[in-house]
Each structure stands twice: as structure tokens, then as C-alpha cells.
């Protein structure tokens, strides 16, 4: 039986994508498996180029000076690569939770980092607002969606310096003016594909401004000059990501999936707000449409509730240890029907209790 997968990442992918990529592992190109052909073969080079082009098309960034790369090492390696490639004197970071905290820690290895604002004082249950970003900094870094705490930036500060954003857990989930960003990165395994590749979208003209020597594998310019094939790319992860991007395009692109995501989130949050047995974790105005975090108002019901959702075929609902309670991750491929099943279990608990 197919489960209702609310896992925060790696997470649910469209069933048709899984079927096609499973088939490609067996036979991709004339009796050869996707994972045994040369990455330099025409069949795979076409996959890479198709995936890179689809990214720019879906984000509305075609012909605007941007390039897409499929790299390795996860979003966690981008914490370091961003600093290596862009940080000369000082950068500003917005601290909205665990992932921003880690990005700050890596960048600090290279230079001074200024935390422009932080919501640590309230265990990151809101997004700080009204801060200033000094215009003489090298760049400003933020995290669009805080996977662990369930907060999401609804708007981004206007700034005169390059804007860098970790969009690991909400890329391709909502329409935004993506031209406001100069560098976007995202680990594939939250909204795009399997673990193993990380998407980086860069406005090329921000590169080449630091004086340090950059190791080849860490240098965006090297990867760009080799069309994202400087070394053997993670072929399975890139292919599966390409299939997900094709699936999204066929659905009608980001604006179509955004409407679905809004329906799922509003159904989920209205249950959290109306059901007296549950309480939302994050501030209402900053709630994430991807990860809804909530707790039980009466911990004695934990065992009953846990049994109920597990019996309903739900997976991956436990909250992160730094928040506790529950987290319902509602990425692009999770259906509205899955959310209905969860909401039904929550109201059933209210009727029983
Ligand atoms: C999951 C996640 C990361 C870490 O990604 P890895 O690919 O595991 O390195 C970074 N940032 C955000 C916002 C995430 O959700």
C-alpha cells in the first residue's frame, strides 16, 4: 500500500517519476542502465542540459544572465561554497533557524559575518523583520523556508548587494520574482528529486570578485565552464530531478502547484487552529506552506494519536527534536488527499477524547 508520506526530507516524489526512474535504472539507452552509461554519452548530456534548461524556464530566469548547476555535497556544501566564491570582506546573514545557523558557522571560517537579525530568542518561531542590510557588504544570505521550525519568508528585503538564498525546502513551490536573487541553492531531496544532487542557480556576473584561490571542485566558475560536468555528476539524482521538473511543467508550472500547496496548507492550518487538542508552533503570519509544525495541547493523548495516524498509513509526522511535537511536510508531490487523511485523523481524535 502506498503510504501518505509527510516526511521532511528525503520526501515524497510523484509516483510517475519513481516509475520512470526505476525503469531507467534497468534500461535507459538501448539495453544499458542509466547508472552504467557514460555521463559523456549523448543520452546523458541531453538529460543534464534538459534539466538545467527546465530549471531556468520554470523559475522564469531564461535569458536573464542566470545559469543552473547540478552539484554534489548537499546544501551543506553550499554553506561553504557561497562564502568561498563571494565573501571578500564581510557578509550579512539572517538567522532564522538551524540551517541559517550552520550557513553562518561555515562562512565564519573565511571572514567576518554580521548577523543582521535572529529569531533565536523565541526558538525561531518567527521571521525577523525591519532590519538593515549594510550596502557595502559582499552579499546578504537568507533561508526562504525553515524546514525544522516551520516558518517561511513571505517577502525578501530589497538590497543593493547580491541576495543569496537557501531554498532547499520550498524551491518550485510558489511563485516569486526570482530575478531578485543572485544565487539560489537547494538540496534536491526536499522538492525536486532524490538526495545526491544540489541545484545552484547563479547570476553569472556576481562571480570573479574575490581575491582568494578557490579549489576547483569548490569553484562555481569551473563548474559553469564545464556545463556542470567538471567531474562525474550524480546521474541518477539528476535524471530523477529532470523527471520531476517535467512533471511540474506538465501540471502547469509553479503557479499551478502553488494553488495546490495553498489548498493543502490552509486545510492543515485550519484544523490546527480549530481543533482544541492541537496548537501551532510558529507565528501565524510566518507559517510555512511546506512544513506545518504543531504540538498536542494534552501530552497524555500522544500514544493514542500516534497509533491513529500510523494506522491511517501516515509516515514521517514526528517533529524535529529541537521543536518536538509534529511536523507535516507538504511538498509538491504530496496530494491534497493525503492532507485530508491527516486532518480526518486529527478530528477523529477530538471526537474520541
Ligand atoms: C535539508 C536542508 C539543508 C541541508 O541539506 P543537505 O542536502 O542535507 O546538505 C539545508 N538547508 C535547508 C533549508 C534544508 O531544509
Amino acid at each position: 500500500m502506498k503510504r501518505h508520506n509527510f516526511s521532511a526530507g528525503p520526501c515524497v516524489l510523484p509516483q510517475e517519476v519513481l516509475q520512470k526512474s526505476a525503469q531507467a535504472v534497468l534500461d535507459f539507452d538501448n539495453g544499458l542502465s542509466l547508472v552504467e552509461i557514460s555521463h559523456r554519452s549523448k543520452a546523458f548530456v541531453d538529460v543534464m542540459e534538459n534539466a538545467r534548461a527546465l530549471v531556468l524556464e520554470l523559475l522564469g530566469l531564461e535569458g536573464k544572465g542566470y545559469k543552473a548547476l547540478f552539484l554534489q555535497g548537499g546544501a551543506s556544501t553550499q554553506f561553504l561554497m557561497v562564502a568561498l566564491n563571494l565573501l571578500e570582506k564581510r557578509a550579512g546573514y539572517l538567522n532564522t533557524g538551524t540551517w541559517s545557523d550552520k550557513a553562518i558557522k561555515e562562512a565564519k571560517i573565511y571572514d567576518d559575518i554580521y548577523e543582521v537579525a535572529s529569531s533565536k530568542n523565541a526558538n525561531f518561531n518567527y521571521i525577523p523583520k525591519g532590519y538593515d542590510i549594510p550596502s557595502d557588504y559582499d552579499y546578504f544570505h537568507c533561508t526562504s523556508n525553515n524546514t525544522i521550525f516551520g516558518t517561511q519568508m513571505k517577502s525578501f528585503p530589497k538590497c543593493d548587494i547580491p541576495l543569496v538564498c537557501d531554498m532547499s525546502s520550498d524551491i518550485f513551490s510558489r511563485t516569486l520574482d526570482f530575478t531578485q536573487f543572485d544565487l539560489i541553492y537547494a538540496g534536491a531531496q526536499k522538492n525536486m528529486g532524490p538526495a545526491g544532487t544540489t541545484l545552484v542557480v547563479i547570476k553569472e556576473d556576481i562571480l570573479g570578485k574575490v581575491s582568494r584561490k578557490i579549489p576547483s571542485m569548490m569553484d562555481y566558475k569551473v563548474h559553469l565552464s564545464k556545463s556542470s560536468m567538471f567531474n562525474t555528476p550524480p546521474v541518477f539524482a539528476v535524471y530523477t530531478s529532470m523527471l520531476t521538473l517535467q512533471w511540474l511543467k506538465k501540471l502547469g508550472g509553479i503557479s499551478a502547484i502553488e494553488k495546490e500547496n495553498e489548498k493543502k496548507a490552509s486545510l492543515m492550518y485550519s484544523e490546527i487552529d480549530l481543533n482544541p487538542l492541537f496548537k501551532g508552533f510558529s507565528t501565524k503570519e510566518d507559517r510555512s506552506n511546506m512544513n506545518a509544525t504543531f504540538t498536542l495541547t494534552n501530552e497524555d493523548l500522544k500514544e493514542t494519536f500516534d497509533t491513529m495516524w500510523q494506522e491511517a498509513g501516515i509516515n514521517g509526522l514526528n517533529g524535529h527534536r529541537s521543536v518536538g511535537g509534529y511536523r507535516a511536510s507538504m511538498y509538491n508531490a504530496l496530494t491534497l488527499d493525503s492532507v485530508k487523511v491527516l486532518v480526518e485523523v486529527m478530528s477523529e481524535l477530538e471526537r474520541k477524547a
Side-chain angles (χ1 to χ4, degrees), residues 175-225:
T175 54
L176 285 174
D177 174 9
F178 291 98
T179 61
Q180 68 190 303
F181 304 99
D182 297 90
L183 194 152
I184 297 167
Y185 62 88
Q189 70 276 14
K190 308 261 164 62
N191 224 0
M192 188 172 67
T197 192
T198 308
L199 174 64
V200 179
V201 179
I202 311 178
K203 195 163 189 198
E204 271 188 290
D205 65 9
I206 65 166
L207 298 175
K209 299 196 172 142
V210 291
S211 52
R212 74 172 59 81
K213 280 195 174 153
I214 306 173
S216 307
M217 273 298 281
M218 294 285 114
D219 191 342
Y220 293 126
K221 285 182 113 176
V222 169
H223 290 287
L224 286 170
S225 73

Side-chain angles (χ1 to χ4, degrees), residues 118-156:
S118 166
S119 46
K120 200 170 196 155
N121 59 349
N123 198 21
F124 300 113
N125 76 348
Y126 72 101
I127 302 279
K129 293 167 200 84
Y131 46 84
D132 289 319
I133 302 169
S135 58
D136 57 343
Y137 280 9
D138 300 319
Y139 63 90
F140 172 66
H141 179 285
C142 59
T143 311
S144 55
N145 183 69
N146 302 288
T147 329
I148 292 175
F149 299 93
T151 60
Q152 187 173 33
M153 294 176 77
K154 303 295 169 183
S155 65
F156 295 84

Side-chain angles (χ1 to χ4, degrees), residues 34 37 41 102 139 166 172-173 230 259 273 279 307 338 347:
L34 170 69
I37 57 163
S41 65
K102 291 189 178 184
Y139 63 90
D166 175 358
F172 302 119
S173 73
F230 171 65
K259 291 199 189 87
D273 291 340
K279 188 175 174 299
T307 310
S338 290
S347 38

Side-chain angles (χ1 to χ4, degrees), residues 293-305:
T293 43
F294 56 98
T295 49
L296 277 165
T297 46
N298 174 1
E299 274 302 314
D300 295 345
L301 293 171
K302 180 171 163 40
E303 226 182 281
T304 314
F305 181 55

